[in-house]
Amino acid sequence: MAYHFYLDGVELPVTPPSLKLRVKNQNETISLIHEGEVNFLKAPGLTEIQFDALFPQASYPFARNESQVSYYLSLLERLKTGKRPFRFLVSRVTPQGMLLFDTNLLVSLEEYQVKEDAQELGMDVEASISLKRYQSYGTRTVQPVKKAKSIRISAAKREEGTPPSYSAHTVKAGDCLWNLAKQYLGDGRRYNEIYELNRDIVQNPNLIYVGQELKLPER
């Protein structure tokens, strides 16, 4: 089984040897007189993710690309200081190129440590990366609005019998609908539009196959 790791749409050059996800709850246990211990169930805590990534300076046959170490260090610094969440994606693919399942989370970069060791790593650099799942929040303000007069807008209808035009993409190893939506539509969150357009051949949005011809909606 092959693994593909992505940080904000950038694939790591070398698959990390291990991945640790800590999924915790915030339940509270208290003791009641005559009742003993009881457990109050609360909303789950934020998932924590840890892994080590190797950034090679030399060209290796097992590395997926040849970007320099400085490129990935700049990426980590941008994600750390950018004050915005980003997409963390791990896809598991069979040797035949079939996507088995993926880990797809919106996260923040909490911490990273860079290790350089001339004896152990040579010119390469290793980074220990800690992520945390991002949960959006905010307050909503409702303002009363006056009822506006309705305006009829006439839209030009497509001539009957003329099918809509779509662009197409042939699925290759490591593809997933989230990355295709980000690549072609500019926003990975629009992956469901691609899924809805291809429901005749895609039964599960997390399961696409190498060689499938997918229709893509307009950007």
Side-chain angles (χ1 to χ4, degrees), residues 21-85:
L21 278 79
R22 184 185 178 201
V23 184
K24 59 182 181 179
N25 258 337
Q26 301 184 104
N27 299 335
E28 182 179 0
T29 301
I30 64 174
S31 296
L32 299 178
I33 299 176
H34 306 306
E35 296 292 340
E37 288 188 335
V38 295
N39 198 10
F40 286 93
L41 304 183
K42 298 183 178 181
L46 299 175
T47 300
E48 298 175 355
I49 305 156
Q50 293 181 334
F51 60 90
D52 294 333
L54 176 67
F55 301 141
Q57 186 68 37
S59 178
Y60 297 123
F62 54 82
R64 291 192 169 89
N65 53 58
E66 298 183 357
S67 296
Q68 297 296 305
V69 169
S70 58
Y71 171 79
Y72 296 103
L73 295 182
S74 296
L75 170 66
L76 293 179
E77 186 63 17
R78 174 171 59 82
L79 296 178
K80 181 66 175 67
T81 60
K83 298 181 181 180
R84 67 171 183 84

Short mmCIF file of all heavy atoms in Angstrom, two decimals, residues 21-85:
data_model
loop_
_atom_site.label_atom_id
_atom_site.label_comp_id
_atom_site.label_asym_id
_atom_site.label_seq_id
_atom_site.Cartn_x
_atom_site.Cartn_y
_atom_site.Cartn_z
N LEU A 21 -2.15 9.89 15.37
CA LEU A 21 -3.33 10.73 15.57
C LEU A 21 -3.86 10.50 16.97
O LEU A 21 -4.15 9.36 17.36
CB LEU A 21 -4.43 10.40 14.55
CG LEU A 21 -4.30 11.04 13.16
CD1 LEU A 21 -3.29 10.27 12.33
CD2 LEU A 21 -5.65 11.06 12.46
N ARG A 22 -3.98 11.57 17.72
CA ARG A 22 -4.51 11.47 19.08
C ARG A 22 -5.91 12.06 19.09
O ARG A 22 -6.09 13.27 18.92
CB ARG A 22 -3.61 12.23 20.07
CG ARG A 22 -4.06 12.08 21.51
CD ARG A 22 -3.23 12.92 22.45
NE ARG A 22 -3.70 12.81 23.82
CZ ARG A 22 -3.45 13.71 24.78
NH1 ARG A 22 -2.72 14.77 24.49
NH2 ARG A 22 -3.90 13.55 26.00
N VAL A 23 -6.90 11.19 19.26
CA VAL A 23 -8.31 11.60 19.27
C VAL A 23 -8.78 11.53 20.71
O VAL A 23 -8.92 10.45 21.28
CB VAL A 23 -9.16 10.69 18.37
CG1 VAL A 23 -10.59 11.20 18.32
CG2 VAL A 23 -8.57 10.61 16.98
N LYS A 24 -9.03 12.67 21.31
CA LYS A 24 -9.34 12.69 22.73
C LYS A 24 -10.72 13.28 23.00
O LYS A 24 -11.26 14.03 22.18
CB LYS A 24 -8.29 13.49 23.49
CG LYS A 24 -8.14 14.94 23.04
CD LYS A 24 -7.05 15.66 23.81
CE LYS A 24 -6.91 17.11 23.38
NZ LYS A 24 -5.86 17.83 24.14
N ASN A 25 -11.27 12.90 24.15
CA ASN A 25 -12.54 13.46 24.61
C ASN A 25 -12.29 14.39 25.79
O ASN A 25 -11.21 14.38 26.39
CB ASN A 25 -13.50 12.34 25.02
CG ASN A 25 -14.55 12.07 23.96
OD1 ASN A 25 -14.85 12.94 23.15
ND2 ASN A 25 -15.10 10.88 23.95
N GLN A 26 -13.32 15.14 26.14
CA GLN A 26 -13.22 16.05 27.28
C GLN A 26 -14.30 15.70 28.32
O GLN A 26 -14.79 16.57 29.04
CB GLN A 26 -13.38 17.50 26.82
CG GLN A 26 -12.34 17.93 25.80
CD GLN A 26 -12.44 19.39 25.44
OE1 GLN A 26 -11.66 20.22 25.87
NE2 GLN A 26 -13.43 19.71 24.61
N ASN A 27 -14.63 14.41 28.40
CA ASN A 27 -15.64 13.98 29.36
C ASN A 27 -15.16 14.24 30.78
O ASN A 27 -13.96 14.23 31.07
CB ASN A 27 -15.96 12.50 29.17
CG ASN A 27 -16.50 12.21 27.78
OD1 ASN A 27 -17.06 13.08 27.15
ND2 ASN A 27 -16.31 10.98 27.31
N GLU A 28 -16.12 14.43 31.69
CA GLU A 28 -15.79 14.75 33.08
C GLU A 28 -16.43 13.71 34.00
O GLU A 28 -17.63 13.43 33.91
CB GLU A 28 -16.30 16.15 33.44
CG GLU A 28 -15.96 16.58 34.85
CD GLU A 28 -16.47 17.98 35.16
OE1 GLU A 28 -17.09 18.59 34.26
OE2 GLU A 28 -16.26 18.45 36.29
N THR A 29 -15.61 13.13 34.88
CA THR A 29 -16.10 12.14 35.84
C THR A 29 -16.13 12.77 37.23
O THR A 29 -15.13 13.35 37.67
CB THR A 29 -15.19 10.90 35.85
OG1 THR A 29 -15.15 10.32 34.54
CG2 THR A 29 -15.70 9.86 36.84
N ILE A 30 -17.29 12.68 37.89
CA ILE A 30 -17.41 13.21 39.25
C ILE A 30 -18.07 12.15 40.13
O ILE A 30 -18.67 11.19 39.65
CB ILE A 30 -18.25 14.51 39.28
CG1 ILE A 30 -19.70 14.23 38.84
CG2 ILE A 30 -17.62 15.59 38.41
CD1 ILE A 30 -20.60 15.44 38.98
N SER A 31 -17.93 12.33 41.44
CA SER A 31 -18.51 11.39 42.40
C SER A 31 -19.71 12.04 43.07
O SER A 31 -19.64 13.18 43.56
CB SER A 31 -17.47 11.00 43.47
OG SER A 31 -16.39 10.31 42.88
N LEU A 32 -20.83 11.31 43.07
CA LEU A 32 -22.06 11.78 43.71
C LEU A 32 -22.33 10.95 44.97
O LEU A 32 -22.09 9.74 44.98
CB LEU A 32 -23.25 11.67 42.76
CG LEU A 32 -23.17 12.48 41.46
CD1 LEU A 32 -24.40 12.21 40.60
CD2 LEU A 32 -23.04 13.96 41.75
N ILE A 33 -22.82 11.61 46.01
CA ILE A 33 -23.15 10.90 47.25
C ILE A 33 -24.22 9.86 46.96
O ILE A 33 -25.22 10.14 46.29
CB ILE A 33 -23.64 11.89 48.33
CG1 ILE A 33 -22.53 12.90 48.63
CG2 ILE A 33 -24.06 11.16 49.60
CD1 ILE A 33 -22.94 13.98 49.61
N HIS A 34 -24.01 8.64 47.43
CA HIS A 34 -24.92 7.50 47.27
C HIS A 34 -25.01 6.99 45.83
O HIS A 34 -25.68 5.99 45.59
CB HIS A 34 -26.35 7.85 47.76
CG HIS A 34 -26.40 8.38 49.15
ND1 HIS A 34 -25.85 7.72 50.23
CD2 HIS A 34 -26.93 9.54 49.65
CE1 HIS A 34 -26.04 8.43 51.33
NE2 HIS A 34 -26.68 9.55 51.01
N GLU A 35 -24.39 7.67 44.88
CA GLU A 35 -24.49 7.24 43.49
C GLU A 35 -23.15 6.73 42.93
O GLU A 35 -23.11 6.03 41.93
CB GLU A 35 -24.98 8.40 42.60
CG GLU A 35 -26.39 8.88 42.92
CD GLU A 35 -27.45 7.85 42.58
OE1 GLU A 35 -27.17 6.95 41.77
OE2 GLU A 35 -28.56 7.95 43.13
N GLY A 36 -22.05 7.11 43.57
CA GLY A 36 -20.75 6.72 43.06
C GLY A 36 -20.32 7.63 41.91
O GLY A 36 -20.80 8.77 41.78
N GLU A 37 -19.44 7.15 41.07
CA GLU A 37 -18.93 7.95 39.97
C GLU A 37 -19.91 7.99 38.81
O GLU A 37 -20.54 6.98 38.47
CB GLU A 37 -17.59 7.39 39.47
CG GLU A 37 -16.43 7.63 40.42
CD GLU A 37 -15.11 7.25 39.80
OE1 GLU A 37 -15.09 6.40 38.89
OE2 GLU A 37 -14.09 7.81 40.22
N VAL A 38 -20.04 9.16 38.21
CA VAL A 38 -20.83 9.31 36.99
C VAL A 38 -19.98 10.08 35.98
O VAL A 38 -19.09 10.85 36.35
CB VAL A 38 -22.16 10.07 37.25
CG1 VAL A 38 -23.08 9.28 38.14
CG2 VAL A 38 -21.89 11.46 37.83
N ASN A 39 -20.27 9.85 34.73
CA ASN A 39 -19.48 10.44 33.65
C ASN A 39 -20.35 11.39 32.84
O ASN A 39 -21.38 10.99 32.30
CB ASN A 39 -18.93 9.34 32.75
CG ASN A 39 -17.77 9.82 31.91
OD1 ASN A 39 -17.25 10.90 32.11
ND2 ASN A 39 -17.37 9.02 30.93
N PHE A 40 -19.95 12.65 32.75
CA PHE A 40 -20.66 13.64 31.94
C PHE A 40 -19.99 13.69 30.57
O PHE A 40 -18.80 14.02 30.47
CB PHE A 40 -20.63 15.02 32.60
CG PHE A 40 -21.53 15.14 33.79
CD1 PHE A 40 -21.06 14.89 35.07
CD2 PHE A 40 -22.87 15.47 33.62
CE1 PHE A 40 -21.90 14.99 36.17
CE2 PHE A 40 -23.71 15.58 34.71
CZ PHE A 40 -23.23 15.33 35.99
N LEU A 41 -20.76 13.37 29.55
CA LEU A 41 -20.21 13.33 28.20
C LEU A 41 -20.24 14.72 27.58
O LEU A 41 -21.27 15.38 27.55
CB LEU A 41 -21.00 12.35 27.32
CG LEU A 41 -21.09 10.92 27.85
CD1 LEU A 41 -21.82 10.03 26.87
CD2 LEU A 41 -19.69 10.36 28.12
N LYS A 42 -19.09 15.15 27.08
CA LYS A 42 -18.97 16.47 26.48
C LYS A 42 -18.50 16.34 25.04
O LYS A 42 -18.17 15.26 24.57
CB LYS A 42 -17.98 17.33 27.28
CG LYS A 42 -18.41 17.59 28.72
CD LYS A 42 -17.42 18.51 29.41
CE LYS A 42 -17.86 18.82 30.84
NZ LYS A 42 -16.90 19.73 31.52
N ALA A 43 -18.48 17.48 24.34
CA ALA A 43 -18.01 17.48 22.96
C ALA A 43 -16.56 17.02 22.92
O ALA A 43 -15.78 17.32 23.82
CB ALA A 43 -18.14 18.88 22.36
N PRO A 44 -16.17 16.27 21.87
CA PRO A 44 -14.79 15.78 21.80
C PRO A 44 -13.79 16.91 21.64
O PRO A 44 -14.10 17.99 21.14
CB PRO A 44 -14.81 14.88 20.57
CG PRO A 44 -15.95 15.39 19.74
CD PRO A 44 -16.97 15.87 20.71
N GLY A 45 -12.56 16.64 22.08
CA GLY A 45 -11.48 17.61 21.91
C GLY A 45 -10.96 17.60 20.48
O GLY A 45 -11.39 16.79 19.64
N LEU A 46 -10.02 18.46 20.20
CA LEU A 46 -9.46 18.58 18.86
C LEU A 46 -8.40 17.50 18.63
O LEU A 46 -7.52 17.30 19.46
CB LEU A 46 -8.83 19.96 18.67
CG LEU A 46 -9.81 21.15 18.81
CD1 LEU A 46 -9.04 22.47 18.73
CD2 LEU A 46 -10.88 21.09 17.74
N THR A 47 -8.50 16.81 17.49
CA THR A 47 -7.55 15.76 17.15
C THR A 47 -6.15 16.34 16.97
O THR A 47 -5.97 17.38 16.34
CB THR A 47 -7.97 15.07 15.85
OG1 THR A 47 -9.27 14.50 16.03
CG2 THR A 47 -7.00 13.96 15.46
N GLU A 48 -5.15 15.66 17.55
CA GLU A 48 -3.76 16.07 17.43
C GLU A 48 -3.01 15.09 16.53
O GLU A 48 -3.23 13.88 16.61
CB GLU A 48 -3.10 16.14 18.81
CG GLU A 48 -3.75 17.18 19.73
CD GLU A 48 -3.19 17.16 21.14
OE1 GLU A 48 -2.36 16.27 21.43
OE2 GLU A 48 -3.58 18.01 21.94
N ILE A 49 -2.15 15.60 15.67
CA ILE A 49 -1.45 14.80 14.67
C ILE A 49 0.05 15.05 14.79
O ILE A 49 0.48 16.20 14.89
CB ILE A 49 -1.92 15.17 13.25
CG1 ILE A 49 -3.44 15.05 13.15
CG2 ILE A 49 -1.24 14.31 12.19
CD1 ILE A 49 -4.04 15.90 12.08
N GLN A 50 0.83 13.97 14.76
CA GLN A 50 2.28 14.10 14.84
C GLN A 50 2.94 13.14 13.85
O GLN A 50 2.51 12.00 13.70
CB GLN A 50 2.79 13.80 16.26
CG GLN A 50 2.36 14.82 17.30
CD GLN A 50 2.90 14.48 18.69
OE1 GLN A 50 3.18 13.33 18.99
NE2 GLN A 50 3.06 15.50 19.51
N PHE A 51 3.98 13.61 13.18
CA PHE A 51 4.78 12.76 12.31
C PHE A 51 6.12 13.44 12.03
O PHE A 51 6.27 14.65 12.25
CB PHE A 51 4.04 12.45 10.99
CG PHE A 51 3.71 13.67 10.16
CD1 PHE A 51 4.59 14.17 9.21
CD2 PHE A 51 2.50 14.33 10.35
CE1 PHE A 51 4.28 15.28 8.46
CE2 PHE A 51 2.17 15.45 9.60
CZ PHE A 51 3.07 15.93 8.65
N ASP A 52 7.07 12.65 11.55
CA ASP A 52 8.39 13.16 11.17
C ASP A 52 8.51 13.11 9.65
O ASP A 52 8.16 12.10 9.03
CB ASP A 52 9.51 12.33 11.80
CG ASP A 52 9.53 12.45 13.31
OD1 ASP A 52 9.08 13.49 13.83
OD2 ASP A 52 10.00 11.50 13.97
N ALA A 53 8.99 14.18 9.06
CA ALA A 53 9.13 14.27 7.61
C ALA A 53 10.59 14.48 7.23
O ALA A 53 11.28 15.30 7.84
CB ALA A 53 8.27 15.41 7.06
N LEU A 54 11.03 13.73 6.22
CA LEU A 54 12.39 13.88 5.72
C LEU A 54 12.38 14.75 4.47
O LEU A 54 11.63 14.49 3.53
CB LEU A 54 12.99 12.51 5.38
CG LEU A 54 14.39 12.53 4.75
CD1 LEU A 54 15.41 13.04 5.76
CD2 LEU A 54 14.77 11.14 4.24
N PHE A 55 13.21 15.78 4.47
CA PHE A 55 13.36 16.66 3.31
C PHE A 55 14.75 16.44 2.71
O PHE A 55 15.75 16.94 3.24
CB PHE A 55 13.18 18.12 3.72
CG PHE A 55 11.85 18.41 4.34
CD1 PHE A 55 11.75 19.29 5.42
CD2 PHE A 55 10.70 17.81 3.87
CE1 PHE A 55 10.52 19.56 5.99
CE2 PHE A 55 9.46 18.07 4.45
CZ PHE A 55 9.37 18.95 5.52
N PRO A 56 14.85 15.68 1.62
CA PRO A 56 16.17 15.36 1.06
C PRO A 56 16.76 16.53 0.28
O PRO A 56 16.07 17.23 -0.45
CB PRO A 56 15.87 14.17 0.14
CG PRO A 56 14.43 14.35 -0.26
CD PRO A 56 13.76 15.00 0.91
N GLN A 57 18.05 16.71 0.46
CA GLN A 57 18.77 17.73 -0.30
C GLN A 57 19.31 17.13 -1.60
O GLN A 57 19.41 17.80 -2.61
CB GLN A 57 19.93 18.28 0.54
CG GLN A 57 20.66 19.45 -0.09
CD GLN A 57 19.81 20.71 -0.18
OE1 GLN A 57 19.04 20.99 0.72
NE2 GLN A 57 19.93 21.46 -1.25
N ALA A 58 19.65 15.82 -1.55
CA ALA A 58 20.14 15.13 -2.74
C ALA A 58 18.96 14.49 -3.48
O ALA A 58 17.84 14.44 -2.98
CB ALA A 58 21.16 14.07 -2.34
N SER A 59 19.22 13.99 -4.68
CA SER A 59 18.19 13.34 -5.49
C SER A 59 18.18 11.84 -5.19
O SER A 59 19.21 11.17 -5.36
CB SER A 59 18.47 13.57 -6.98
OG SER A 59 17.51 12.90 -7.76
N TYR A 60 17.04 11.33 -4.70
CA TYR A 60 16.90 9.92 -4.37
C TYR A 60 15.83 9.29 -5.25
O TYR A 60 14.82 9.95 -5.58
CB TYR A 60 16.51 9.74 -2.91
CG TYR A 60 17.54 10.26 -1.92
CD1 TYR A 60 17.20 11.22 -0.98
CD2 TYR A 60 18.83 9.76 -1.93
CE1 TYR A 60 18.12 11.69 -0.07
CE2 TYR A 60 19.77 10.23 -1.02
CZ TYR A 60 19.42 11.19 -0.10
OH TYR A 60 20.34 11.67 0.80
N PRO A 61 15.96 8.01 -5.59
CA PRO A 61 14.94 7.36 -6.42
C PRO A 61 13.61 7.21 -5.72
O PRO A 61 12.56 7.11 -6.36
CB PRO A 61 15.57 5.99 -6.74
CG PRO A 61 16.60 5.77 -5.68
CD PRO A 61 17.12 7.12 -5.33
N PHE A 62 13.60 7.20 -4.38
CA PHE A 62 12.35 7.04 -3.64
C PHE A 62 11.66 8.37 -3.36
O PHE A 62 10.53 8.40 -2.86
CB PHE A 62 12.60 6.31 -2.31
CG PHE A 62 13.65 6.96 -1.44
CD1 PHE A 62 13.34 8.04 -0.63
CD2 PHE A 62 14.96 6.48 -1.45
CE1 PHE A 62 14.30 8.63 0.16
CE2 PHE A 62 15.93 7.07 -0.65
CZ PHE A 62 15.60 8.15 0.16
N ALA A 63 12.31 9.50 -3.64
CA ALA A 63 11.69 10.81 -3.42
C ALA A 63 10.75 11.14 -4.58
O ALA A 63 11.05 10.86 -5.74
CB ALA A 63 12.76 11.89 -3.29
N ARG A 64 9.58 11.74 -4.26
CA ARG A 64 8.57 11.99 -5.28
C ARG A 64 8.84 13.26 -6.08
O ARG A 64 8.24 13.46 -7.12
CB ARG A 64 7.18 12.07 -4.63
CG ARG A 64 6.72 10.72 -4.09
CD ARG A 64 5.25 10.75 -3.72
NE ARG A 64 4.77 9.40 -3.45
CZ ARG A 64 4.81 8.82 -2.26
NH1 ARG A 64 5.32 9.47 -1.24
NH2 ARG A 64 4.37 7.59 -2.10
N ASN A 65 9.65 14.14 -5.59
CA ASN A 65 10.03 15.32 -6.36
C ASN A 65 11.41 15.77 -5.90
O ASN A 65 11.97 15.23 -4.95
CB ASN A 65 8.99 16.45 -6.20
CG ASN A 65 8.71 16.77 -4.75
OD1 ASN A 65 9.63 17.11 -4.01
ND2 ASN A 65 7.46 16.67 -4.33
N GLU A 66 11.96 16.76 -6.58
CA GLU A 66 13.34 17.17 -6.32
C GLU A 66 13.43 18.60 -5.80
O GLU A 66 14.43 19.29 -5.99
CB GLU A 66 14.16 17.03 -7.60
CG GLU A 66 14.25 15.60 -8.11
CD GLU A 66 15.13 15.47 -9.34
OE1 GLU A 66 15.60 16.51 -9.82
OE2 GLU A 66 15.34 14.34 -9.81
N SER A 67 12.38 19.08 -5.14
CA SER A 67 12.43 20.41 -4.55
C SER A 67 13.47 20.46 -3.45
O SER A 67 13.70 19.47 -2.75
CB SER A 67 11.04 20.80 -3.99
OG SER A 67 10.09 20.87 -5.03
N GLN A 68 14.10 21.59 -3.27
CA GLN A 68 15.16 21.74 -2.30
C GLN A 68 14.60 21.82 -0.87
O GLN A 68 13.42 22.12 -0.66
CB GLN A 68 15.98 22.99 -2.60
CG GLN A 68 16.69 22.93 -3.95
CD GLN A 68 17.73 21.83 -3.99
OE1 GLN A 68 18.62 21.77 -3.15
NE2 GLN A 68 17.63 20.95 -4.98
N VAL A 69 15.47 21.56 0.10
CA VAL A 69 15.08 21.62 1.51
C VAL A 69 14.49 22.98 1.85
O VAL A 69 13.50 23.10 2.58
CB VAL A 69 16.29 21.32 2.40
CG1 VAL A 69 15.98 21.63 3.86
CG2 VAL A 69 16.71 19.86 2.26
N SER A 70 15.09 24.04 1.31
CA SER A 70 14.63 25.39 1.62
C SER A 70 13.16 25.60 1.24
O SER A 70 12.44 26.36 1.90
CB SER A 70 15.50 26.43 0.91
OG SER A 70 15.48 26.22 -0.50
N TYR A 71 12.71 24.92 0.19
CA TYR A 71 11.31 25.05 -0.23
C TYR A 71 10.37 24.54 0.86
O TYR A 71 9.37 25.19 1.19
CB TYR A 71 11.09 24.27 -1.53
CG TYR A 71 9.64 24.16 -1.95
CD1 TYR A 71 8.99 25.21 -2.57
CD2 TYR A 71 8.92 22.99 -1.70
CE1 TYR A 71 7.66 25.12 -2.93
CE2 TYR A 71 7.59 22.89 -2.06
CZ TYR A 71 6.97 23.95 -2.69
OH TYR A 71 5.64 23.84 -3.04
N TYR A 72 10.68 23.38 1.44
CA TYR A 72 9.80 22.79 2.45
C TYR A 72 9.91 23.53 3.79
O TYR A 72 8.91 23.67 4.51
CB TYR A 72 10.13 21.31 2.63
CG TYR A 72 9.84 20.52 1.38
CD1 TYR A 72 10.88 20.11 0.53
CD2 TYR A 72 8.54 20.20 1.01
CE1 TYR A 72 10.61 19.42 -0.63
CE2 TYR A 72 8.27 19.49 -0.15
CZ TYR A 72 9.31 19.11 -0.97
OH TYR A 72 9.05 18.43 -2.12
N LEU A 73 11.09 24.02 4.12
CA LEU A 73 11.21 24.81 5.34
C LEU A 73 10.43 26.11 5.22
O LEU A 73 9.81 26.58 6.18
CB LEU A 73 12.69 25.09 5.64
CG LEU A 73 13.55 23.87 5.97
CD1 LEU A 73 14.98 24.31 6.28
CD2 LEU A 73 12.96 23.08 7.13
N SER A 74 10.44 26.71 4.04
CA SER A 74 9.65 27.93 3.82
C SER A 74 8.16 27.61 3.91
O SER A 74 7.37 28.42 4.42
CB SER A 74 9.98 28.53 2.44
OG SER A 74 11.31 28.94 2.38
N LEU A 75 7.76 26.43 3.41
CA LEU A 75 6.36 26.02 3.50
C LEU A 75 5.93 25.90 4.95
O LEU A 75 4.87 26.41 5.35
CB LEU A 75 6.17 24.68 2.78
CG LEU A 75 4.81 23.99 2.97
CD1 LEU A 75 3.70 24.82 2.33
CD2 LEU A 75 4.83 22.59 2.40
N LEU A 76 6.74 25.24 5.79
CA LEU A 76 6.40 25.09 7.20
C LEU A 76 6.30 26.44 7.90
O LEU A 76 5.38 26.68 8.68
CB LEU A 76 7.44 24.21 7.90
CG LEU A 76 7.49 22.74 7.48
CD1 LEU A 76 8.60 22.02 8.25
CD2 LEU A 76 6.15 22.05 7.71
N GLU A 77 7.23 27.34 7.60
CA GLU A 77 7.20 28.65 8.24
C GLU A 77 5.97 29.45 7.79
O GLU A 77 5.34 30.14 8.60
CB GLU A 77 8.48 29.41 7.90
CG GLU A 77 8.63 30.74 8.63
CD GLU A 77 8.71 30.57 10.14
OE1 GLU A 77 8.98 29.45 10.62
OE2 GLU A 77 8.52 31.58 10.85
N ARG A 78 5.61 29.31 6.52
CA ARG A 78 4.42 30.01 6.03
C ARG A 78 3.15 29.48 6.71
O ARG A 78 2.27 30.26 7.09
CB ARG A 78 4.31 29.85 4.51
CG ARG A 78 3.02 30.41 3.91
CD ARG A 78 3.08 30.42 2.40
NE ARG A 78 3.29 29.10 1.83
CZ ARG A 78 2.31 28.21 1.65
NH1 ARG A 78 1.07 28.50 2.01
NH2 ARG A 78 2.57 27.05 1.11
N LEU A 79 3.07 28.17 6.87
CA LEU A 79 1.89 27.58 7.52
C LEU A 79 1.85 27.92 9.00
O LEU A 79 0.76 28.05 9.57
CB LEU A 79 1.91 26.05 7.33
CG LEU A 79 1.79 25.55 5.89
CD1 LEU A 79 1.87 24.04 5.84
CD2 LEU A 79 0.51 26.05 5.23
N LYS A 80 3.01 28.08 9.61
CA LYS A 80 3.06 28.40 11.05
C LYS A 80 2.68 29.84 11.31
O LYS A 80 1.99 30.16 12.29
CB LYS A 80 4.48 28.14 11.59
CG LYS A 80 4.64 28.42 13.08
CD LYS A 80 3.81 27.43 13.90
CE LYS A 80 4.06 27.62 15.39
NZ LYS A 80 3.56 28.90 15.90
N THR A 81 3.11 30.77 10.46
CA THR A 81 2.90 32.19 10.72
C THR A 81 1.73 32.77 9.92
O THR A 81 1.40 33.93 10.10
CB THR A 81 4.18 32.98 10.37
OG1 THR A 81 4.49 32.80 8.97
CG2 THR A 81 5.35 32.50 11.21
N GLY A 82 1.11 31.97 9.05
CA GLY A 82 0.07 32.50 8.16
C GLY A 82 -1.25 32.78 8.83
O GLY A 82 -2.13 33.42 8.24
N LYS A 83 -1.45 32.30 10.06
CA LYS A 83 -2.68 32.55 10.83
C LYS A 83 -3.93 32.12 10.06
O LYS A 83 -4.94 32.82 10.04
CB LYS A 83 -2.79 34.02 11.22
CG LYS A 83 -1.68 34.50 12.13
CD LYS A 83 -1.85 35.96 12.51
CE LYS A 83 -0.72 36.43 13.41
NZ LYS A 83 -0.88 37.86 13.79
N ARG A 84 -3.84 30.98 9.40
CA ARG A 84 -5.00 30.44 8.70
C ARG A 84 -4.92 28.91 8.71
O ARG A 84 -3.83 28.34 8.72
CB ARG A 84 -5.05 30.93 7.25
CG ARG A 84 -3.92 30.42 6.37
CD ARG A 84 -4.13 30.76 4.91
NE ARG A 84 -3.08 30.22 4.06
CZ ARG A 84 -3.07 28.98 3.59
NH1 ARG A 84 -4.07 28.15 3.89
NH2 ARG A 84 -2.07 28.55 2.83
N PRO A 85 -6.06 28.23 8.75
CA PRO A 85 -6.04 26.77 8.68
C PRO A 85 -5.71 26.30 7.27
O PRO A 85 -5.84 27.05 6.31
CB PRO A 85 -7.47 26.38 9.07
CG PRO A 85 -8.29 27.55 8.64
CD PRO A 85 -7.43 28.77 8.85
#
